[in-house]
Amino acid sequence: MPSLDKFDLAILQCLQEDARATNVEIADKVNLSPSPCLRRIRNLEKTGVIRGYRADIDRKEVGLGLTVFVELKVAHHSRENAQAQEAALLAIPEVVSCFLISGTADFLAEVVVEDLAAYERLLTDTLLTLPNVSDIRSNFAIRSMKTHGALKLPAPK
């Protein structure tokens, strides 16, 4: 993990607020000249701290009105089974986030689809056919209050 100083953290905060801000705007906000600011941004990208840039799309506005949190339990725990499950989940486009968790389930996947009929198709045609799945529980979001929020960055050390 790269060591982040106050300038790096300030740059990250600026990019979380507006990833389309120009280098000059960011440099001005963090009290750096543009050249060192750009070098820092490129270094944050190169080291993987900044993984990419994307548009924050309103799900409902593009016809994706249903969010489902799917808990999956894997039978026959082993590293190979977990890796196969992970690979299978990552290959499903409707899975927008996925976590290996502890508790009653092994994986928690956030699934975004058009409606209940679309989820039923995904469940029966894809999720239930995943390798070594022993149980699936679906939790339907009633309403979204916050999705893809900015990270509360730590204070510089």
Side-chain angles (χ1 to χ4, degrees):
M1 182 174 103
S3 177
L4 303 176
D5 65 14
K6 68 177 187 176
F7 293 108
D8 294 325
L9 292 168
I11 289 167
L12 292 171
Q13 187 62 45
C14 287
L15 287 170
Q16 283 192 123
E17 292 168 7
D18 181 6
R20 294 182 68 173
T22 67
N23 180 58
V24 172
E25 292 169 335
I26 295 168
D28 186 50
K29 286 183 180 179
V30 302
N31 296 318
L32 283 173
S33 60
S35 291
C37 183
L38 185 58
R39 275 196 300 276
R40 285 174 175 269
I41 291 172
R42 296 292 181 245
N43 187 53
L44 291 166
E45 293 168 346
K46 183 177 142 193
T47 59
V49 174
I50 297 174
R51 295 186 300 193
Y53 302 89
R54 75 183 113 251
D56 184 9
I57 298 170
D58 186 304
R59 297 169 179 190
K60 288 189 181 194
E61 290 296 321
V62 295
L64 298 170
L66 184 63
T67 299
V68 186
F69 297 96
V70 182
E71 300 174 5
L72 298 108
K73 182 130 183 84
V74 176
H76 315 294
H77 286 104
S78 72
R79 181 183 310 261
E80 293 79 23
N81 287 348
Q83 289 172 338
Q85 187 70 33
E86 181 179 337
L89 286 166
L90 293 176
I92 301 169
E94 294 88 349
V95 174
V96 298
S97 64
C98 190
F99 304 89
L100 177 66
I101 61 172
S102 66
T104 58
D106 298 304
F107 290 90
L108 177 64
E110 180 182 4
V111 171
V112 179
V113 292
E114 295 89 338
D115 53 27
L116 191 55
Y119 180 66
E120 180 183 7
R121 284 189 303 277
L122 180 71
L123 177 65
T124 57
D125 297 345
T126 305
L127 297 177
L128 290 172
T129 66
L130 292 175
N132 300 305
V133 171
S134 65
D135 191 28
I136 294 179
R137 308 244 174 198
S138 304
N139 299 285
F140 297 90
I142 304 298
R143 178 170 46 105
S144 295
M145 277 78 62
K146 184 177 186 179
T147 58
H148 304 297
L151 297 173
K152 182 187 178 304
L153 298 171
K157 295 178 182 180

